[in-house]
Amino acid sequence: MPQAPTARRTARLPLSTALAFAGTSLPISAVAIAISVFLPRHYASHLGVDLAVVGAAFFLVRMIDIPIDGLLGWGMDKTRTAWGRYRVWTILGAPVLMAGIYFLFMPPTGVGRAYLIFWLLVMYLGNSILTLSHVAWAATLAPHYDDRSRLFGVITAIGVLGAAAILGIPIVNEARGAADSGNVATMGWLIFLLTPLAVALVIWRTPEKIAPEVPGHSFRLRDYAALIARPSFARILLADLCLSLGPGWMSALYLFFFTDSRGFTTGQASILLAVYILAGFAGAPLMGRLATKISKHRAVMVATTGYSLTLISLMAIPQGNMAIGVVPMFVAGFLAAGFNVLTRAMTADIADEVRLEQGRERSGLLYAMTVMTTKIAGAFSIGLTFFVLSRVGYIAKEGAANTPQAIHNLELAYLIGPIVFVMLGGACMIGYRLGAERHAEIRRQLDERDALYDEDPGLETITVEAANPVPAQAGQ
């Protein structure tokens, strides 16, 4: 009997299968960088669409996109076909994403708000289908704890290649002497071609098993309210919102700031952004290691404080000086990588606490809500920042001559917003009580209760009272 679980844990997903499956992350990560950094500026600068219109379009579409994810997830869970469950949705998502990419990244002249909104909706729908089917399929592909971590590590690493490919386009085009206005079209063609190739590889090389449905488990809307009402989880949701909105604010204004304020070319600014992103390879594991020493919530406070101080130092970068510019960008990327790692790990702690109290697994519901906060932040980051920029006298149109006061206002907008939101995210951790010692006690009680199932497989239910639940105030 003791050998069976061990045998199951040692059955690892072949690396070749993991690499093939991770292919979908190439276009997904490429879209994320292109949409957040390059596309809004392209419409405002090169196509001459008003800043406020661009911001409002992105905000409106993202707010529509948020509830659609819930419906897509529900539909995917209900799907049962001879081809599988998530495989079918992956096939459906690819052409929708490709259509949105083609018309958004290769627009005709004279486009306006209606054009932008419609094709943003199409693009985000395709991207949501592809993203949700990918992560859900990954959970079934690698069901065991260690193997799942390994698979998601491969997915993350391959995804960085997609992001790096997008960042490399302005760098290569600048070296070739190509016009800056052509960068977005090149990005669009890259994503357009990557999508069918990556999806075909996934469909060809990846098996899928539909898990049997468990009767008696139904979703209730009040489950959302009950979880959000927990003080510990409410802190995490608010912190996650702020820690997504701060860097998202920076992404929306990034190219404006580094070209017009710091004197870099678009290609140089893309190199600095690549340094920021790649710093996460070192930052994510080392910030996690720091959390084991001082606890997760204190590590969040350290990361947010250091990040904010680093942003202030950006104003000390000499005009166009790459050697100095890479230093604060690496430090900022290093610290920012810890934001999601730490808040997602804290969410897992909350999931343990909830399972002990309620006797049911709620990890999926908890993570769905944290993803929702990230999307809300994404909606506000472009809409809010472009609205602010349009009100402080800055002109985004290509070739416009901004006054020194307008450039100064751009600098203030770029720095104040992220610093305020990131520090608010860190402040949410003040008074957080579910630390290492309390979580160790929760795990001890969970392990004792779970052991009862191993001893008596016929045991159907265990009352929460019999399992010595953690008092409600422990998670506050």
Side-chain angles (χ1 to χ4, degrees):
M1 287 293 293
Q3 301 302 319
T6 303
R8 285 194 300 269
R9 283 194 298 268
T10 56
R12 301 181 68 188
L13 184 72
L15 180 59
S16 59
T17 303
L19 288 170
F21 179 75
T24 308
S25 65
L26 284 168
I28 290 174
S29 297
V31 167
I33 291 293
I35 289 292
S36 63
V37 177
F38 296 97
L39 193 67
R41 176 179 179 263
H42 180 75
Y43 272 80
S45 295
H46 299 304
L47 299 181
V49 182
D50 184 79
L51 270 173
V53 171
V54 174
F58 274 84
F59 174 78
L60 175 63
V61 172
R62 290 315 301 263
M63 293 306 291
I64 295 173
D65 178 55
I66 291 169
I68 288 177
D69 277 359
L71 294 174
L72 288 173
W74 177 83
M76 289 177 189
D77 288 339
K78 294 292 184 181
T79 301
R80 300 178 70 88
T81 73
W83 276 43
R85 171 176 287 159
Y86 304 115
R87 183 191 307 272
V88 173
W89 284 92
T90 299
I91 295 171
L92 289 174
V96 178
L97 175 62
M98 291 168 66
I101 291 297
Y102 179 84
F103 286 100
L104 273 179
F105 285 70
M106 281 78 76
T109 57
V111 298
R113 178 173 53 188
Y115 182 96
L116 178 59
I117 289 175
F118 179 80
W119 289 111
L120 276 174
L121 282 170
V122 174
M123 187 280 300
Y124 275 123
L125 176 61
N127 191 58
S128 292
I129 293 173
L130 216 54
T131 301
L132 288 173
S133 61
H134 194 231
V135 295
W137 192 350
T140 63
L141 187 62
H144 303 304
Y145 183 86
D146 291 334
D147 209 23
R148 184 174 290 171
S149 300
R150 173 172 166 264
L151 175 59
F152 276 97
V154 172
I155 291 172
T156 301
I158 296 299
V160 168
L161 296 179
I166 291 297
L167 292 173
I169 288 174
I171 300 171
V172 173
N173 281 349
E174 185 172 298
R176 293 172 52 241
D180 183 43
S181 59
N183 290 338
V184 164
T186 307
M187 293 173 189
W189 280 116
L190 175 64
I191 299 169
F192 188 86
L193 295 174
L194 266 180
T195 301
L197 293 175
V199 167
L201 183 62
V202 170
I203 298 303
W204 174 46
R205 293 285 298 164
T206 310
E208 182 183 3
K209 178 182 178 182
I210 299 181
E213 294 184 355
V214 180
H217 290 270
S218 59
F219 171 76
R220 298 171 300 177
L221 289 177
R222 62 175 178 268
D223 290 341
Y224 277 116
L227 292 175
I228 294 174
R230 303 177 69 85
S232 52
F233 189 52
R235 286 176 181 272
I236 292 176
L237 285 178
L238 184 57
D240 197 60
L241 177 66
C242 292
L243 296 179
S244 298
L245 187 53
W249 181 299
M250 287 179 58
S251 296
L253 301 185
Y254 177 82
L255 289 177
F256 296 124
F257 175 80
F258 273 87
T259 55
D260 285 356
S261 171
R262 296 297 89 203
F264 294 99
T265 65
T266 302
Q268 291 173 327
S270 298
I271 293 174
L272 292 176
L273 184 57
V275 169
Y276 177 94
I277 292 173
L278 294 175
F281 276 120
L286 290 179
M287 290 306 299
R289 186 175 180 83
L290 175 64
T292 65
K293 304 296 183 183
I294 65 174
S295 76
K296 299 182 184 75
H297 64 284
R298 293 191 182 93
V300 171
M301 290 189 278
V302 169
T304 53
T305 302
Y307 186 84
S308 298
L309 292 174
T310 303
L311 291 190
I312 297 173
S313 72
L314 293 179
M315 291 304 301
I317 300 175
Q319 290 282 312
N321 192 313
M322 289 289 292
I324 294 179
V326 297
V327 176
M329 291 302 290
F330 180 87
V331 174
F334 181 98
L335 295 170
F339 295 169
N340 277 346
V341 170
L342 296 169
T343 56
R344 296 300 184 264
M346 293 168 72
T347 302
D349 296 341
I350 299 293
D352 286 340
E353 182 185 50
V354 170
R355 186 162 76 89
L356 182 62
E357 294 181 8
Q358 299 182 2
R360 291 188 177 185
E361 183 63 70
R362 296 294 188 196
S363 297
L365 189 56
L366 290 165
Y367 278 109
M369 285 188 279
T370 57
V371 169
M372 189 180 298
T373 62
T374 302
K375 289 206 168 189
I376 292 172
F380 276 96
S381 61
I382 296 177
L384 185 58
T385 53
F386 275 35
F387 174 79
V388 170
L389 209 58
S390 68
R391 291 293 181 270
V392 297
Y394 179 81
I395 303 173
K397 190 172 183 179
E398 188 176 21
N402 283 287
T403 65
Q405 183 61 46
I407 300 296
H408 178 67
N409 291 339
L410 166 67
E411 294 166 347
L412 292 177
Y414 183 79
L415 297 176
I416 292 176
I419 290 173
V420 168
F421 284 113
V422 168
M423 289 305 293
L424 280 175
C428 291
M429 297 295 105
I430 299 174
Y432 185 83
R433 298 181 184 179
L434 186 51
E437 292 184 5
R438 191 60 211 156
H439 184 255
E441 173 62 17
I442 290 172
R443 285 304 321 173
R444 183 190 67 79
Q445 295 186 47
L446 278 174
D447 291 342
E448 288 181 356
R449 189 172 73 185
D450 292 345
L452 297 178
Y453 286 99
D454 295 332
E455 294 170 5
D456 186 0
L459 189 60
E460 291 288 336
T461 60
I462 297 179
T463 63
V464 176
E465 292 79 5
N468 298 318
V470 178
Q473 62 268 25
Q476 298 179 6

